[in-house]
Amino acid sequence: MKAIFRHELSTYFTSLTGYVFGAFLLLFAGIYTMAVNLNGGMTNFEYVLSNLSFIYLIIVPVVTMGTIAQEKRQRTDQLLYSLPMTMTQVTMGKYAALLVVFLIPTGILCLYPLVLTAFGTLHLPLVFGTVVGFFFLGAALLAIGMFLSSITESQGVAAGICFVVMLVNYFISDLAGYFSSSAFASFGAFTVLVLLVGLIFRLMTWNSMVSLALAGGLELVLILGYALGGDSFAGLFPAMVEKLSLFDRFYQFVDGIFDLRSIVYFLTVIGVFLFLTVQSLEKRRWSE
């Protein structure tokens, strides 16, 4: 794992990727700081971080697109499978390198509010609490981007899918308002979700029978739940979709709420997508 971590980290900083990532993040942080704090005269640096979260939609796909997709395209992933380490160690080494690349500009970002204290009074506990939320949001998005990079050999495709996924997550709270709140509509939406779970499992394992059994079992549970308590399905799907937004969880920190449940949610997303990345690598390892 340490060897993978050192190799990935050196790759980021011997190419332009790590520098572009940090420079882009700090550039827009400076622009928003000037607009919100200096020109706007506001003492709320957390508003800068709130606006800056949109930049994740651009920089995360760029920095994660080649994490595994490039290895697949160049066939250097075969070397990973021959190493005396598990795919979990490979995944964790690559992800740890991503976190370090992200942590460096985030650490520099912490200096901004300290400089701003020379011009006014900032509530630093709120500011640094928001920085913590900002970091965990980025860490969760990096895990998602890394998984999406593992399911394709094309860096462009990986970046495109990652951008779309994050864009949907960014606006998912607004999109939830367009879903029907009827019980049957929620039932239909959950049915589509079950089919998607079955399809993803099929793509991950190439086992049609197990995938069909999984989807059939989930659909049976769904049908029984709808038959026994159909009224409880009313508005359930839109409410659930709205809770999936990573960005809305982060905005709680901006509002001054240091919610440990949001931290747990970020960690859960990280764990789930790292697990899916491991499974994607394992599938390719045994299919070669």
Side-chain angles (χ1 to χ4, degrees):
M1 176 178 168
K2 290 182 179 179
I4 294 293
F5 170 74
R6 287 195 297 266
H7 174 266
E8 290 294 315
L9 196 59
S10 64
T11 299
Y12 287 125
F13 289 106
T14 53
S15 65
L16 290 176
T17 305
Y19 298 103
V20 170
F21 177 87
F24 201 78
L25 185 63
L26 294 175
L27 171 64
F28 277 89
I31 292 173
Y32 283 127
T33 300
M34 182 178 296
V36 175
N37 299 123
L38 298 181
N39 292 340
M42 302 181 68
T43 59
N44 302 91
F45 185 74
E46 58 272 16
Y47 294 164
V48 172
L49 297 174
S50 177
N51 292 322
L52 193 61
S53 64
F54 184 80
I55 304 302
Y56 280 142
L57 275 63
I58 301 172
I59 59 177
V60 169
V62 172
V63 78
T64 60
M65 65 181 183
T67 308
I68 298 175
Q70 186 177 15
E71 301 256 18
K72 286 184 174 183
R73 185 176 61 84
Q74 297 177 346
R75 302 298 176 185
T76 54
D77 60 329
Q78 302 301 318
L79 297 175
L80 298 178
Y81 305 140
S82 63
L83 294 175
M85 62 179 66
T86 65
M87 291 301 100
T88 299
Q89 292 174 310
V90 170
T91 300
M92 293 304 296
K94 286 178 172 289
Y95 183 67
L98 277 174
L99 284 184
V100 170
V101 171
F102 174 49
L103 191 59
I104 292 173
T106 303
I108 297 174
L109 196 62
C110 291
L111 299 177
Y112 286 36
L114 298 179
V115 173
L116 289 174
T117 56
F119 301 94
T121 303
L122 277 72
H123 187 52
L124 292 180
L126 173 58
V127 170
F128 288 111
T130 307
V131 171
V132 171
F134 184 79
F135 173 77
F136 276 102
L137 170 64
L141 295 177
L142 288 173
I144 295 173
M146 187 173 172
F147 165 67
L148 295 174
S149 178
S150 73
I151 62 176
T152 179
E153 295 183 2
S154 171
Q155 295 185 65
V157 171
I161 295 175
C162 186
F163 174 76
V164 171
V165 168
M166 293 182 186
L167 186 66
V168 169
N169 192 270
Y170 187 83
F171 290 108
I172 199 168
S173 295
D174 297 325
L175 295 174
Y178 291 97
F179 287 107
S180 173
S181 59
S182 67
F184 184 75
S186 290
F187 173 77
F190 280 120
T191 297
V192 173
L193 188 61
V194 166
L195 293 176
L196 287 175
V197 170
L199 178 61
I200 292 172
F201 195 82
R202 168 68 176 78
L203 293 174
M204 295 291 294
T205 64
W206 294 104
N207 192 320
S208 299
M209 292 300 296
V210 175
S211 301
L212 287 173
L214 175 64
L218 291 174
E219 185 63 23
L220 180 60
V221 172
L222 184 62
I223 292 172
L224 288 174
Y226 184 71
L228 296 175
D231 293 340
S232 62
F233 275 69
L236 181 60
F237 187 76
M240 188 185 105
V241 166
E242 191 171 355
K243 295 294 184 182
L244 294 177
S245 175
L246 290 164
F247 290 91
D248 280 359
R249 299 272 182 173
F250 164 65
Y251 295 148
Q252 294 182 12
F253 292 88
V254 177
D255 293 335
I257 303 172
F258 194 91
D259 192 354
L260 290 178
R261 293 174 299 177
S262 296
I263 299 293
V264 172
Y265 180 68
F266 288 137
L267 291 173
T268 301
V269 170
I270 293 170
V272 168
F273 281 96
L274 289 181
F275 171 78
L276 291 175
T277 303
V278 171
Q279 299 310 305
S280 178
L281 291 175
E282 288 286 2
K283 185 199 76 171
R284 182 173 176 85
R285 179 182 191 180
W286 296 110
S287 64
E288 292 294 331

